[in-house]
């Protein structure tokens, strides 16, 4: 009896999106942490270990255009992100202070447009790009 060669399964678009979300969130939490792995929430200034923080999106992640945008995302506290519905007024002021009013206005305007969801290739590129950045950041933080 001859055994058939096993087909290698290609990941589904959903699986790639979940992986991209996970890798990108890890990158954001690392980017916003200091050498002691501590993150300071940009909205309430509470300090926490990076693993306790969440990847907060100024423009909600349902907007595909800004879902993986580094300017749009910051590590923050669960309470500010979920319980207080990301404290929109304070988050807007934080964004305007750090990225200028024009940038924030442009982001809000762009978010109202229809943007198609990414394809499998896009998700794989995001996974590769941010996996590399995670390695580089982790090395930088541990030296």
């Amino acid at each position: 009896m001859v055994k058939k060669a096993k087909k290698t399964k290609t990941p589904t678009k959903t699986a790639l999106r979940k992986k991209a979300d996970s890798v990108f969130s890890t990158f954001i939490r690392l980017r916003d942490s200091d050498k002691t792995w501590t993150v300071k929430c940009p909205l309430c200034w509470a300090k926490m270990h990076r693993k306790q923080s969440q990847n907060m999106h100024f423009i909600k992640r349902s907007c595909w255009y800004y879902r993986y945008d580094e300017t749009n995302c910051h590590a923050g506290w669960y309470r500010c992100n979920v319980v207080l519905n990301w404290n929109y007024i304070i988050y807007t002021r934080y964004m305007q202070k750090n990225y200028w009013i024009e940038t924030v206005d442009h982001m809000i305007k762009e978010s109202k447009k229809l943007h198609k969801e990414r394809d499998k290739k896009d998700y794989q590129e995001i996974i590769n790009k941010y996996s590399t950045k995670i390695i580089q950041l982790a090395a930088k933080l541990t030296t």
Side-chain angles (χ1 to χ4, degrees), residues 28-127:
I28 293 297
R29 287 181 278 137
L30 269 174
R31 180 199 69 185
D32 293 352
S33 65
D34 60 20
K35 287 189 179 263
T36 64
W37 307 103
T38 301
V39 168
K40 185 163 62 168
C41 178
L43 306 183
C44 69
W45 306 110
K47 291 184 179 182
M48 70 215 75
H49 188 274
R50 71 173 176 83
K51 289 185 177 180
Q52 295 171 320
S53 68
Q54 290 190 337
N55 179 18
M56 300 189 311
H57 294 73
F58 175 65
I59 304 294
K60 290 298 186 188
R61 50 185 265 164
S62 58
C63 174
W64 300 110
Y65 189 76
Y66 285 111
R67 189 175 186 128
Y68 304 104
D69 184 285
E70 292 180 33
T71 302
N72 186 50
C73 298
H74 304 88
W77 192 25
Y78 167 83
R79 180 178 179 270
C80 291
N81 194 31
V82 177
V83 177
L84 298 176
N85 197 22
W86 46 263
N87 243 336
Y88 194 71
I89 294 170
I90 295 171
Y91 206 169
T92 302
R93 287 184 183 154
Y94 171 82
M95 292 292 289
Q96 290 171 336
K97 179 182 172 197
N98 289 282
Y99 302 107
W100 303 103
I101 292 172
E102 294 80 11
T103 302
V104 174
D105 288 346
H106 175 75
M107 289 174 72
I108 293 169
K109 184 179 172 185
E110 281 295 308
S111 73
K112 307 251 184 267
K113 295 179 182 176
L114 289 176
H115 300 284
K116 67 177 189 142
E117 185 182 357
R118 300 169 190 268
D119 60 20
K120 288 170 106 176
K121 182 180 165 232
D122 293 332
Y123 288 123
Q124 191 59 58
E125 288 172 1
I126 290 164
I127 292 165

Side-chain angles (χ1 to χ4, degrees), residues 10-28 30 67-70 118-136:
T10 59
T12 64
K13 188 172 167 179
T14 301
L16 287 170
R17 182 177 56 238
K18 284 181 181 178
K19 176 74 174 172
D21 284 348
S22 174
V23 169
F24 184 72
S25 291
T26 299
F27 164 74
I28 293 297
L30 269 174
R67 189 175 186 128
Y68 304 104
D69 184 285
E70 292 180 33
R118 300 169 190 268
D119 60 20
K120 288 170 106 176
K121 182 180 165 232
D122 293 332
Y123 288 123
Q124 191 59 58
E125 288 172 1
I126 290 164
I127 292 165
N128 295 342
K129 175 182 178 180
Y130 287 102
S131 292
T132 302
K133 285 187 167 199
I134 287 168
I135 292 167
Q136 293 167 345

